């Protein structure tokens, strides 16, 4: 028997890769971001305590399948391939893959110019998938987006392909790089759960519905993406 009588809530575990601002990152030792706030709403709805498991993006699907985590909120793009392995909630964010280059680069102006170039990506992402389709390109895959950006700044690679919102953050903090106007893809983020967990999926979709209806989605949107 427990010696103390503190009230303990059941824990729900969110899997993520907290190197993807403004969706998830670590600031002052705390997990913060749009996905973190949404996940707190999910935990609240369940009357449970949220625990964050931070890992590499490429490990998240396996973590769901082995039930190391209950759901994944990680700016994860819905793809047909992933939907064979996990179940996805309703889409909650529409965005694009963009190309980052150095401002002083004079060879890459559009997607076509990536042919034969060295492209940095985050491992296991749709940005990696898209980059591997580019003819004769060498794809360098890093654990984190900012590592790709660092290698771009250092001149080790010619471009980075990554999600639009983190790209905007990286560019805002680095005056040597810029985002090209032409985008690679349009895609949608969704929360993923284990194929077994129909009930949790329904709850997550209910939470999204409520957040849209009561205006809290817009509040969160403005908090992280407003001007
Ligand atoms: N949206 C991209 C994907 O799902 C990248 C997500 C991320 O790096 N956190 O592949």
């Amino acid at each position: 028997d427990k010696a103390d009588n503190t009230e303990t809530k059941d824990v729900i575990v969110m899997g993520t890769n907290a190197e993807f601002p403004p969706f998830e990152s670590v600031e002052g030792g705390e997990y913060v971001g749009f996905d973190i706030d949404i996940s707190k709403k999910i935990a609240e709805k369940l009357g449970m305590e949220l625990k964050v498991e931070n890992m590499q993006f490429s490990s998240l699907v396996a973590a769901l399948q082995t039930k190391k985590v209950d759901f994944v909120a990680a700016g994860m793009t819905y793809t047909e391939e992933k939907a064979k392995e996990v179940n996805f909630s309703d889409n909650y964010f529409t965005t694009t893959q963009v190309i980052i280059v150095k401002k002083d680069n004079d060879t890459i102006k559009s997607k076509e110019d990536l042919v034969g170039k060295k492209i940095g990506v985050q491992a296991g992402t749709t940005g990696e998938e898209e980059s591997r389709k580019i003819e004769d390109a060498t794809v360098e895959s890093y654990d984190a987006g900012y590592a790709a950006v660092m290698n771009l700044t250092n001149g080790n690679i010619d471009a980075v392909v990554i999600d639009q919102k983190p790209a905007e953050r990286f560019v805002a903090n680095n005056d040597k790089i810029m985002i090209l106007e032409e985008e690679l893809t349009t895609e949608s983020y969704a929360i993923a759960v284990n194929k077994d967990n129909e009930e949790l999926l329904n709850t997550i979709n209910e939470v999204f519905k409520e957040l849209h209806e009561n205006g809290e989605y817009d509040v969160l949107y403005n908090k992280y993406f407003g001007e």
Side-chain angles (χ1 to χ4, degrees), residues 1 16 35 37-38 41 44 46 65 87 103 107 125 129 147-148 158 171 208 223:
D1 286 353
T16 198
D35 287 339
D37 284 357
I38 284 180
K41 301 280 181 193
E44 202 177 289
L46 292 161
Q65 290 176 322
N87 279 350
K103 280 182 185 166
T107 55
T125 62
E129 256 171 64
D158 303 304
V171 167
F208 278 129
K223 177 174 170 191

Side-chain angles (χ1 to χ4, degrees), residues 17 20 24 57 74-77 82 97 122 124-127 163 187 189:
N17 172 245
F20 199 71
E24 43 268 331
F57 184 78
M76 183 176 271
T77 302
K82 277 206 183 78
Q97 293 290 316
Q122 183 176 7
T125 62
T126 47
D163 300 52
E187 42 194 65
Y189 295 164

Side-chain angles (χ1 to χ4, degrees), residues 14-26:
M14 166 206 195
T16 198
N17 172 245
E19 292 171 301
F20 199 71
F23 290 91
E24 43 268 331
S25 58
V26 181

Side-chain angles (χ1 to χ4, degrees), residues 83-130:
K84 289 175 190 156
E85 303 180 279
V86 295
N87 279 350
F88 280 106
S89 72
D90 295 338
N91 295 334
Y92 67 91
F93 199 88
T94 301
T95 189
T96 59
Q97 293 290 316
V98 298
I99 303 161
I100 309 177
V101 294
K102 278 176 96 166
K103 280 182 185 166
D104 63 8
N105 124 83
D106 46 22
T107 55
I108 305 173
K109 309 266 183 239
S110 70
K111 186 180 164 178
E112 283 67 49
D113 300 330
L114 289 175
V115 171
K117 293 292 195 298
K118 261 190 167 177
I119 308 169
V121 297
Q122 183 176 7
T125 62
T126 47
E128 175 169 23
E129 256 171 64
E130 284 305 312

